[in-house]
Amino acid sequence: MSKPRILIARAIFPDIVDRLRQHFDVQDNPEDVIWSPAELAERLADKDGAFTTGSQRIDATLLAAAPRLKIVANMAVGYNNFDVDAMTAAGVQGTNTPDVLTETTADFGFALLMATARRMTESEHYLRAGNWTKWSYDMFAGSDIHGSTLGIIGMGRIGQGIARRGAFGFGMKVVYHNRSRLSPALEAECKATYVGKEELLRTADHVVLVVPYTAASHHTIGAAELAQMKPTATLINIARGGIVDDAALAVALREGRIAAAGLDVFEGEPRVHPDLLTVPNVVLTPHIASATVPTRRAMANLAADNLIAFFDGRGPLTPVNQPVSTTTAPR
Ligand code: DGY
């Protein structure tokens, strides 16, 4: 019997491509070319499955051009690149990679918070540029992490990991805002108190964003929200571009309306709003919150396992939708 055909849309670990080749007829992309939507559709025209990262849009137009496609396995916990309704309507299974990246991403959120509040990259650039000629009492004085108030918007698994680090590692008071309130047991475990968004913005010394991107979470933080924050506050975005209005943030940073920001994700990335590149009080990283070798391997292996389990007839391991028919036979 012939093997199902799959497309691996971006370069991934070669040994994981080899593992997939044992189960599938694989077309991969070792040169890591960024295909246009039309080029992606052309390659998916004869494929039964796809391995994607968060940057390939899977929508109704693409699905119409890929009549055999039955599953798209995203190597990311976020799946805002999927039009889930269109996939469900077309009977296409979507999967993501939850859990395996939670602690690594929470570590990074905390690292970005520390680097931002303590002005680490700004001071390093100063030193590297040869500007350090004497110590002075107020040189790169930032704000404290320990004992301060941490506000977390989005209290899923990663938000909870950040709360635990803040409460138990740094003695922070943790407040959070989320679509739904956590159970009392989980609140106690994270030592976190539920508050309204406005109260969080008004009282937090550090605001960390970990909400999924949806139409409802677009510009969760814009000019009005930035105006509610303390002028000494820091803002961290490890969620998705578009959760923050980057243009409004650049203005707030330039005018000192908040002290600093740490951003791992950007509206329209990999482009970065040019004004963010010119303000000094922002730490910028290229969407690397889950980027450790063990975690990226675990993500890639989970995406591969989803494809293998699906075509073995065991069903997807971490589905994001429930298409009416998830048959592995041609659609
Ligand atoms: C995720 O898993 O969603 C990360 O942002 C990597 O894309």
Side-chain angles (χ1 to χ4, degrees):
M1 210 177 74
S2 64
K3 293 176 181 174
R5 291 183 193 157
I6 67 157
L7 179 73
I8 305 177
R10 295 288 308 273
I12 60 160
F13 300 95
D15 62 305
I16 299 177
V17 176
D18 289 344
R19 187 156 87 82
L20 285 164
R21 284 195 201 285
Q22 292 169 18
H23 301 263
F24 305 112
D25 180 353
V26 173
Q27 179 179 2
D28 64 342
N29 181 7
E31 266 87 47
D32 206 25
V33 178
I34 304 297
W35 294 320
S36 67
E39 289 168 333
L40 179 64
E42 198 183 305
R43 284 164 177 81
L44 282 175
D46 62 348
K47 300 297 184 297
D48 301 295
F51 181 120
T52 54
T53 63
S55 49
Q56 292 81 51
R57 178 94 189 127
I58 307 296
D59 58 15
T61 310
L62 180 127
L63 293 169
R68 295 176 57 97
L69 195 65
K70 290 173 265 318
I71 176 169
V72 183
N74 223 24
M75 181 187 150
V77 67
Y79 51 92
N80 55 301
N81 57 314
F82 287 176
D83 180 336
V84 174
D85 290 343
M87 289 171 70
T88 304
V92 173
Q93 180 67 62
T95 64
N96 68 341
T97 58
D99 300 323
V100 292
L101 49 62
T102 301
E103 298 303 327
T104 294
T105 305
D107 281 351
F108 184 87
F110 225 87
L112 191 54
L113 169 56
M114 300 283 279
T116 304
R118 297 302 307 272
R119 305 176 66 177
M120 290 178 76
T121 57
E122 196 186 347
S123 58
E124 191 195 352
H125 290 151
Y126 173 89
L127 180 152
R128 283 182 189 271
N131 294 324
W132 189 29
T133 53
K134 64 178 184 353
W135 180 91
S136 60
Y137 76 97
D138 61 349
M139 192 167 65
F140 295 106
S143 54
D144 274 325
I145 301 291
H146 72 273
S148 64
T149 298
L150 172 62
I152 302 174
I153 300 185
M155 201 61 159
R157 288 163 286 222
I158 297 169
Q160 291 167 31
I162 291 171
R164 287 193 191 93
R165 282 159 177 77
F168 298 104
F170 291 84
M172 299 172 94
K173 175 181 170 189
V174 179
V175 293
Y176 77 97
H177 184 71
N178 198 44
R179 264 175 316 179
S180 50
R181 199 170 161 167
L182 299 185
S183 67
L186 214 41
E187 283 189 350
E189 210 180 285
C190 298
K191 246 179 141 184
T193 305
Y194 180 84
V195 294
K197 182 176 161 194
E198 252 190 76
E199 183 179 341
L200 183 147
L201 293 173
R202 249 189 317 104
T203 57
D205 298 302
H206 309 287
V207 175
V208 180
L209 303 170
V210 212
V211 276
Y213 182 81
T214 62
S217 65
H218 181 73
H219 287 185
T220 295
I221 301 292
E225 289 76 18
L226 289 161
Q228 290 167 12
M229 291 173 64
K230 295 182 182 183
T232 50
T234 56
L235 175 71
I236 306 299
N237 186 8
I238 56 164
R240 274 291 181 270
I243 301 285
V244 174
D245 177 343
D246 286 349
L249 175 62
V251 173
L253 289 167
R254 175 165 297 116
E255 295 181 354
R257 288 197 231 137
I258 66 167
L263 307 174
D264 186 49
V265 286
F266 305 87
E267 285 189 286
E269 65 183 51
R271 276 182 299 107
V272 175
H273 194 291
D275 294 352
L276 286 172
L277 297 171
T278 61
V279 283
N281 46 345
V282 60
V283 178
L284 307 168
T285 53
H287 202 146
I288 57 168
S290 63
T292 65
V293 175
T295 292
R296 285 283 165 88
R297 287 190 62 80
M299 292 164 70
N301 272 315
L302 179 52
D305 289 342
N306 267 303
L307 290 166
I308 294 166
F310 178 82
F311 284 107
D312 273 0
R314 284 179 282 138
L317 306 176
T318 48
V320 302
N321 65 339
Q322 276 193 308
V324 181
S325 153
T326 50
T327 169
T328 56
R331 289 201 266 133

